[in-house]
Amino acid sequence: MNITLEETRSGGRYVAEVEGHYAEMTYSRASPELVIVDHTGVPDALRGKGVGQALALHAVEEARKGGWKIIPLCPFFKAQAERHPDWQDILR
């Protein structure tokens, strides 16, 4: 699975391409040290394949590398964060 970043001035999205289908996790940047993950979209063709989980983990790894925190407004990301106590270091 290939995950890429598309960034804008106010936020961006991580895009996963699998078998010709695309899933995304979008975020807005509240400050240089804080992002708000607000949406995860996975098409039906990719459901159950761990794509959403891979996007969430990628966001966590990027937050750790970049030294910033995540506010999880997206219900999917929030649920994943509750299942992973080891992610608490990047949550706000």
Side-chain angles (χ1 to χ4, degrees), residues 35-90:
V35 300
I36 301 166
V37 172
D38 52 22
H39 170 73
T40 302
V42 178
D44 289 342
L46 297 180
R47 293 202 188 270
K49 297 186 178 195
V51 177
Q53 174 66 27
L55 286 166
L57 181 58
H58 187 79
V60 168
E61 291 170 349
E62 290 297 302
R64 286 182 176 141
K65 281 194 289 189
W68 35 272
K69 302 280 185 184
I70 295 174
I71 296 174
L73 289 186
C74 166
F76 175 81
F77 189 92
K78 192 172 195 172
Q80 290 300 311
E82 289 172 3
R83 290 185 187 117
H84 296 287
D86 57 313
W87 292 4
Q88 297 306 305
D89 63 309
I90 57 86

